[in-house]
Structure formats: C-alpha cells, structure tokens
Short mmCIF file of all heavy atoms in Angstrom, two decimals:
data_model
loop_
_atom_site.label_atom_id
_atom_site.label_comp_id
_atom_site.label_asym_id
_atom_site.label_seq_id
_atom_site.Cartn_x
_atom_site.Cartn_y
_atom_site.Cartn_z
N THR A 29 -7.94 -3.33 -7.01
CA THR A 29 -6.86 -3.52 -6.05
C THR A 29 -6.66 -4.98 -5.70
O THR A 29 -7.58 -5.80 -5.78
CB THR A 29 -7.11 -2.74 -4.76
OG1 THR A 29 -8.30 -3.23 -4.13
CG2 THR A 29 -7.25 -1.26 -5.04
N ASP A 30 -5.44 -5.29 -5.29
CA ASP A 30 -5.09 -6.56 -4.69
C ASP A 30 -4.35 -6.28 -3.41
O ASP A 30 -3.40 -5.49 -3.40
CB ASP A 30 -4.23 -7.41 -5.62
CG ASP A 30 -5.02 -8.02 -6.76
OD1 ASP A 30 -5.98 -8.76 -6.47
OD2 ASP A 30 -4.67 -7.78 -7.93
N ILE A 31 -4.78 -6.92 -2.32
CA ILE A 31 -4.22 -6.70 -1.01
C ILE A 31 -3.83 -8.05 -0.42
O ILE A 31 -4.62 -8.99 -0.48
CB ILE A 31 -5.22 -6.02 -0.06
CG1 ILE A 31 -5.90 -4.81 -0.73
CG2 ILE A 31 -4.56 -5.61 1.24
CD1 ILE A 31 -4.98 -3.66 -0.99
N ILE A 32 -2.65 -8.15 0.16
CA ILE A 32 -2.26 -9.42 0.77
C ILE A 32 -3.09 -9.67 2.02
O ILE A 32 -3.57 -8.74 2.67
CB ILE A 32 -0.76 -9.47 1.09
CG1 ILE A 32 -0.36 -8.40 2.10
CG2 ILE A 32 0.06 -9.36 -0.18
CD1 ILE A 32 1.07 -8.56 2.61
N ASN A 33 -3.25 -10.94 2.33
CA ASN A 33 -4.16 -11.32 3.41
C ASN A 33 -3.78 -10.73 4.76
O ASN A 33 -4.66 -10.39 5.56
CB ASN A 33 -4.23 -12.84 3.52
CG ASN A 33 -5.00 -13.47 2.38
OD1 ASN A 33 -5.86 -12.84 1.76
ND2 ASN A 33 -4.72 -14.73 2.10
N SER A 34 -2.49 -10.58 5.02
CA SER A 34 -2.06 -10.13 6.33
C SER A 34 -2.44 -8.68 6.63
O SER A 34 -2.46 -8.28 7.79
CB SER A 34 -0.55 -10.31 6.49
OG SER A 34 0.16 -9.56 5.54
N VAL A 35 -2.73 -7.90 5.60
CA VAL A 35 -3.12 -6.52 5.81
C VAL A 35 -4.52 -6.22 5.31
O VAL A 35 -5.00 -5.08 5.46
CB VAL A 35 -2.12 -5.53 5.18
CG1 VAL A 35 -0.71 -5.80 5.68
CG2 VAL A 35 -2.16 -5.60 3.66
N LYS A 36 -5.17 -7.19 4.73
CA LYS A 36 -6.51 -6.99 4.19
C LYS A 36 -7.46 -6.55 5.30
O LYS A 36 -7.47 -7.11 6.39
CB LYS A 36 -7.00 -8.26 3.52
CG LYS A 36 -8.27 -8.09 2.70
CD LYS A 36 -8.57 -9.36 1.89
CE LYS A 36 -7.49 -9.63 0.86
NZ LYS A 36 -7.79 -10.83 0.02
N GLY A 37 -8.24 -5.54 5.00
CA GLY A 37 -9.14 -4.98 5.98
C GLY A 37 -8.54 -3.89 6.82
O GLY A 37 -9.27 -3.18 7.52
N ARG A 38 -7.22 -3.74 6.77
CA ARG A 38 -6.52 -2.70 7.52
C ARG A 38 -5.88 -1.65 6.61
O ARG A 38 -5.81 -0.48 6.99
CB ARG A 38 -5.46 -3.31 8.42
CG ARG A 38 -6.01 -4.30 9.43
CD ARG A 38 -4.95 -4.74 10.44
NE ARG A 38 -3.86 -5.47 9.80
CZ ARG A 38 -2.60 -5.05 9.72
NH1 ARG A 38 -2.26 -3.88 10.26
NH2 ARG A 38 -1.67 -5.79 9.15
N PHE A 39 -5.39 -2.08 5.47
CA PHE A 39 -4.71 -1.18 4.54
C PHE A 39 -5.59 -0.92 3.33
O PHE A 39 -6.29 -1.82 2.85
CB PHE A 39 -3.40 -1.78 4.04
CG PHE A 39 -2.29 -1.88 5.06
CD1 PHE A 39 -2.52 -1.67 6.41
CD2 PHE A 39 -1.01 -2.18 4.64
CE1 PHE A 39 -1.50 -1.77 7.34
CE2 PHE A 39 0.02 -2.29 5.56
CZ PHE A 39 -0.22 -2.08 6.90
N THR A 40 -5.52 0.29 2.81
CA THR A 40 -6.23 0.66 1.60
C THR A 40 -5.27 1.38 0.67
O THR A 40 -4.62 2.34 1.07
CB THR A 40 -7.43 1.58 1.90
OG1 THR A 40 -8.32 0.92 2.80
CG2 THR A 40 -8.17 1.91 0.62
N ILE A 41 -5.18 0.91 -0.56
CA ILE A 41 -4.35 1.56 -1.56
C ILE A 41 -5.25 2.38 -2.48
O ILE A 41 -6.36 1.96 -2.81
CB ILE A 41 -3.51 0.53 -2.35
CG1 ILE A 41 -2.52 1.22 -3.28
CG2 ILE A 41 -4.40 -0.45 -3.10
CD1 ILE A 41 -1.50 0.27 -3.91
N SER A 42 -4.77 3.54 -2.87
CA SER A 42 -5.52 4.41 -3.77
C SER A 42 -4.54 5.16 -4.66
O SER A 42 -3.33 5.15 -4.43
CB SER A 42 -6.42 5.37 -2.99
OG SER A 42 -5.66 6.22 -2.15
N ARG A 43 -5.08 5.81 -5.67
CA ARG A 43 -4.22 6.57 -6.58
C ARG A 43 -4.95 7.79 -7.08
O ARG A 43 -6.19 7.84 -7.13
CB ARG A 43 -3.75 5.69 -7.75
CG ARG A 43 -4.88 5.21 -8.67
CD ARG A 43 -4.39 4.12 -9.62
NE ARG A 43 -3.48 4.64 -10.63
CZ ARG A 43 -2.67 3.89 -11.37
NH1 ARG A 43 -2.64 2.57 -11.19
NH2 ARG A 43 -1.89 4.45 -12.29
N ASP A 44 -4.18 8.79 -7.44
CA ASP A 44 -4.68 10.00 -8.06
C ASP A 44 -3.90 10.18 -9.35
O ASP A 44 -2.75 10.61 -9.32
CB ASP A 44 -4.51 11.20 -7.13
CG ASP A 44 -5.16 12.46 -7.66
OD1 ASP A 44 -5.19 12.65 -8.89
OD2 ASP A 44 -5.63 13.28 -6.84
N ASN A 45 -4.52 9.81 -10.46
CA ASN A 45 -3.80 9.84 -11.72
C ASN A 45 -3.44 11.26 -12.15
O ASN A 45 -2.42 11.48 -12.80
CB ASN A 45 -4.62 9.14 -12.81
CG ASN A 45 -4.72 7.64 -12.58
OD1 ASN A 45 -3.86 7.04 -11.95
ND2 ASN A 45 -5.79 7.04 -13.09
N GLY A 46 -4.29 12.22 -11.80
CA GLY A 46 -4.01 13.60 -12.15
C GLY A 46 -2.78 14.14 -11.44
O GLY A 46 -1.98 14.88 -12.02
N LYS A 47 -2.63 13.77 -10.16
CA LYS A 47 -1.48 14.21 -9.38
C LYS A 47 -0.29 13.26 -9.50
O LYS A 47 0.78 13.56 -8.98
CB LYS A 47 -1.86 14.35 -7.91
CG LYS A 47 -2.86 15.46 -7.63
CD LYS A 47 -3.14 15.55 -6.14
CE LYS A 47 -4.09 16.68 -5.83
NZ LYS A 47 -4.36 16.77 -4.37
N LYS A 48 -0.49 12.12 -10.16
CA LYS A 48 0.53 11.09 -10.26
C LYS A 48 1.01 10.69 -8.87
O LYS A 48 2.21 10.69 -8.56
CB LYS A 48 1.69 11.54 -11.15
CG LYS A 48 1.27 11.78 -12.58
CD LYS A 48 2.47 12.10 -13.47
CE LYS A 48 2.04 12.29 -14.91
NZ LYS A 48 3.19 12.61 -15.79
N MET A 49 0.05 10.33 -8.03
CA MET A 49 0.32 9.94 -6.67
C MET A 49 -0.33 8.59 -6.37
O MET A 49 -1.40 8.28 -6.91
CB MET A 49 -0.22 10.97 -5.67
CG MET A 49 0.40 12.35 -5.80
SD MET A 49 2.09 12.41 -5.14
CE MET A 49 1.77 12.20 -3.39
N VAL A 50 0.31 7.82 -5.52
CA VAL A 50 -0.23 6.58 -5.00
C VAL A 50 -0.17 6.66 -3.48
O VAL A 50 0.83 7.11 -2.92
CB VAL A 50 0.55 5.35 -5.49
CG1 VAL A 50 -0.14 4.07 -5.06
CG2 VAL A 50 0.71 5.38 -7.01
N TYR A 51 -1.23 6.21 -2.83
CA TYR A 51 -1.33 6.31 -1.38
C TYR A 51 -1.56 4.95 -0.76
O TYR A 51 -2.13 4.06 -1.37
CB TYR A 51 -2.49 7.23 -0.98
CG TYR A 51 -2.42 8.60 -1.60
CD1 TYR A 51 -3.16 8.90 -2.74
CD2 TYR A 51 -1.62 9.59 -1.06
CE1 TYR A 51 -3.11 10.15 -3.32
CE2 TYR A 51 -1.56 10.85 -1.64
CZ TYR A 51 -2.30 11.13 -2.76
OH TYR A 51 -2.24 12.37 -3.33
N LEU A 52 -1.12 4.81 0.47
CA LEU A 52 -1.41 3.63 1.26
C LEU A 52 -1.89 4.08 2.62
O LEU A 52 -1.11 4.60 3.42
CB LEU A 52 -0.18 2.73 1.40
CG LEU A 52 -0.44 1.38 2.08
CD1 LEU A 52 -1.32 0.49 1.20
CD2 LEU A 52 0.88 0.67 2.38
N GLN A 53 -3.18 3.92 2.87
CA GLN A 53 -3.75 4.21 4.18
C GLN A 53 -3.62 2.97 5.04
O GLN A 53 -4.13 1.90 4.69
CB GLN A 53 -5.22 4.62 4.03
CG GLN A 53 -5.95 4.82 5.36
CD GLN A 53 -5.38 5.94 6.18
OE1 GLN A 53 -5.04 5.76 7.35
NE2 GLN A 53 -5.23 7.12 5.58
N MET A 54 -2.93 3.12 6.15
CA MET A 54 -2.61 2.00 7.03
C MET A 54 -3.28 2.22 8.37
O MET A 54 -2.95 3.16 9.09
CB MET A 54 -1.09 1.89 7.21
CG MET A 54 -0.32 1.90 5.89
SD MET A 54 1.45 2.24 6.10
CE MET A 54 1.96 0.73 6.91
N ASN A 55 -4.22 1.36 8.70
CA ASN A 55 -4.94 1.43 9.96
C ASN A 55 -4.66 0.20 10.80
O ASN A 55 -4.22 -0.83 10.29
CB ASN A 55 -6.45 1.54 9.71
CG ASN A 55 -6.84 2.77 8.94
OD1 ASN A 55 -6.28 3.86 9.15
ND2 ASN A 55 -7.81 2.64 8.05
N SER A 56 -4.94 0.31 12.07
CA SER A 56 -4.75 -0.80 13.01
C SER A 56 -3.37 -1.41 12.87
O SER A 56 -3.20 -2.64 12.79
CB SER A 56 -5.84 -1.85 12.81
OG SER A 56 -7.11 -1.31 13.00
N LEU A 57 -2.37 -0.57 12.85
CA LEU A 57 -1.01 -1.03 12.62
C LEU A 57 -0.53 -1.95 13.73
O LEU A 57 -0.84 -1.75 14.91
CB LEU A 57 -0.07 0.16 12.47
CG LEU A 57 -0.15 0.85 11.11
CD1 LEU A 57 0.46 2.25 11.18
CD2 LEU A 57 0.56 0.02 10.05
N GLN A 58 0.22 -2.95 13.34
CA GLN A 58 0.77 -3.95 14.23
C GLN A 58 2.28 -3.96 14.11
O GLN A 58 2.84 -3.49 13.13
CB GLN A 58 0.20 -5.33 13.91
CG GLN A 58 -1.32 -5.39 13.92
CD GLN A 58 -1.87 -6.64 13.29
OE1 GLN A 58 -1.14 -7.56 12.93
NE2 GLN A 58 -3.19 -6.70 13.15
N SER A 59 2.94 -4.53 15.11
CA SER A 59 4.40 -4.55 15.10
C SER A 59 4.95 -5.25 13.86
O SER A 59 6.00 -4.86 13.35
CB SER A 59 4.94 -5.22 16.37
OG SER A 59 4.48 -6.55 16.48
N GLU A 60 4.26 -6.26 13.37
CA GLU A 60 4.73 -6.97 12.19
C GLU A 60 4.62 -6.15 10.92
O GLU A 60 5.10 -6.58 9.86
CB GLU A 60 3.99 -8.30 12.02
CG GLU A 60 2.48 -8.17 11.95
CD GLU A 60 1.80 -8.39 13.29
OE1 GLU A 60 2.37 -7.99 14.32
OE2 GLU A 60 0.69 -8.97 13.30
N ASP A 61 3.98 -4.99 10.98
CA ASP A 61 3.93 -4.09 9.84
C ASP A 61 5.18 -3.23 9.74
O ASP A 61 5.34 -2.49 8.76
CB ASP A 61 2.71 -3.18 9.91
CG ASP A 61 1.40 -3.95 9.86
OD1 ASP A 61 1.29 -4.87 9.03
OD2 ASP A 61 0.48 -3.62 10.64
N THR A 62 6.05 -3.30 10.72
CA THR A 62 7.26 -2.51 10.71
C THR A 62 8.14 -2.86 9.52
O THR A 62 8.34 -4.03 9.20
CB THR A 62 8.04 -2.72 12.01
OG1 THR A 62 7.28 -2.20 13.11
CG2 THR A 62 9.39 -2.02 11.97
N GLY A 63 8.67 -1.85 8.86
CA GLY A 63 9.55 -2.06 7.74
C GLY A 63 9.71 -0.80 6.94
O GLY A 63 9.13 0.24 7.26
N VAL A 64 10.50 -0.90 5.90
CA VAL A 64 10.65 0.19 4.95
C VAL A 64 9.69 -0.05 3.80
O VAL A 64 9.68 -1.13 3.20
CB VAL A 64 12.09 0.31 4.44
CG1 VAL A 64 12.21 1.47 3.46
CG2 VAL A 64 13.06 0.48 5.60
N TYR A 65 8.88 0.93 3.51
CA TYR A 65 7.85 0.82 2.48
C TYR A 65 8.28 1.56 1.23
O TYR A 65 8.75 2.70 1.29
CB TYR A 65 6.53 1.38 3.00
CG TYR A 65 5.83 0.45 3.97
CD1 TYR A 65 6.35 0.23 5.24
CD2 TYR A 65 4.66 -0.21 3.61
CE1 TYR A 65 5.73 -0.63 6.12
CE2 TYR A 65 4.03 -1.07 4.49
CZ TYR A 65 4.57 -1.28 5.74
OH TYR A 65 3.94 -2.13 6.62
N TYR A 66 8.11 0.90 0.11
CA TYR A 66 8.50 1.43 -1.19
C TYR A 66 7.32 1.35 -2.15
O TYR A 66 6.46 0.48 -2.02
CB TYR A 66 9.64 0.62 -1.81
CG TYR A 66 10.89 0.49 -0.98
CD1 TYR A 66 11.01 -0.51 -0.02
CD2 TYR A 66 11.96 1.36 -1.17
CE1 TYR A 66 12.16 -0.64 0.72
CE2 TYR A 66 13.12 1.23 -0.43
CZ TYR A 66 13.21 0.22 0.51
OH TYR A 66 14.37 0.09 1.25
N CYS A 67 7.33 2.22 -3.14
CA CYS A 67 6.39 2.06 -4.23
C CYS A 67 7.15 1.77 -5.52
O CYS A 67 8.32 2.13 -5.68
CB CYS A 67 5.49 3.29 -4.40
SG CYS A 67 6.34 4.83 -4.75
N ASN A 68 6.48 1.07 -6.41
CA ASN A 68 7.04 0.71 -7.69
C ASN A 68 5.89 0.19 -8.55
O ASN A 68 4.77 0.05 -8.07
CB ASN A 68 8.13 -0.36 -7.53
CG ASN A 68 9.18 -0.31 -8.63
OD1 ASN A 68 8.86 -0.19 -9.82
ND2 ASN A 68 10.45 -0.42 -8.26
N ARG A 69 6.17 -0.09 -9.79
CA ARG A 69 5.19 -0.77 -10.62
C ARG A 69 4.98 -2.19 -10.13
O ARG A 69 5.84 -2.78 -9.48
CB ARG A 69 5.63 -0.78 -12.08
CG ARG A 69 5.60 0.59 -12.74
CD ARG A 69 5.72 0.44 -14.25
NE ARG A 69 5.59 1.73 -14.93
CZ ARG A 69 6.60 2.41 -15.45
NH1 ARG A 69 7.83 1.93 -15.41
NH2 ARG A 69 6.37 3.56 -16.05
N ALA A 70 3.82 -2.72 -10.43
CA ALA A 70 3.48 -4.08 -10.07
C ALA A 70 2.67 -4.71 -11.19
O ALA A 70 1.87 -4.02 -11.82
CB ALA A 70 2.69 -4.09 -8.76
N PRO A 71 2.85 -6.00 -11.41
CA PRO A 71 3.82 -6.89 -10.78
C PRO A 71 5.21 -6.85 -11.38
O PRO A 71 6.14 -7.43 -10.81
CB PRO A 71 3.19 -8.27 -11.03
CG PRO A 71 2.52 -8.11 -12.36
CD PRO A 71 1.97 -6.71 -12.37
N ILE A 72 5.36 -6.18 -12.52
CA ILE A 72 6.66 -6.07 -13.14
C ILE A 72 7.33 -4.80 -12.64
O ILE A 72 6.86 -3.69 -12.90
CB ILE A 72 6.57 -6.06 -14.67
CG1 ILE A 72 5.81 -7.31 -15.16
CG2 ILE A 72 7.96 -5.99 -15.29
CD1 ILE A 72 6.44 -8.61 -14.74
N LEU A 73 8.43 -4.96 -11.93
CA LEU A 73 9.12 -3.85 -11.31
C LEU A 73 9.96 -3.05 -12.30
O LEU A 73 10.41 -3.58 -13.31
CB LEU A 73 10.06 -4.35 -10.21
CG LEU A 73 9.47 -5.14 -9.06
CD1 LEU A 73 10.60 -5.77 -8.26
CD2 LEU A 73 8.62 -4.24 -8.20
#
C-alpha cells in the first residue's frame, strides 16, 4: 500500500481479489476529509 501523509495512520486500504472489492477504512475522520470518494486504477487511471 501507499497512503498519503495527511491520512496515514488513520486510513487503511484493503482488497479482496476473490470478491473483486476494494475497501477504505477511515478512522479519526476530520473535516478536511470531506469530499466525494472514488475508486479507480492507480496510478494509471
């Protein structure tokens, strides 16, 4: 995984290849985390 510094230690990304699912566990949420969240391939969209 790679996590940006502003959320490191608070967010955890995981995946389930069998279910074809990607998850983002978000803890200790702050107002600056507000936004619309999307998933896509990375780094090439």
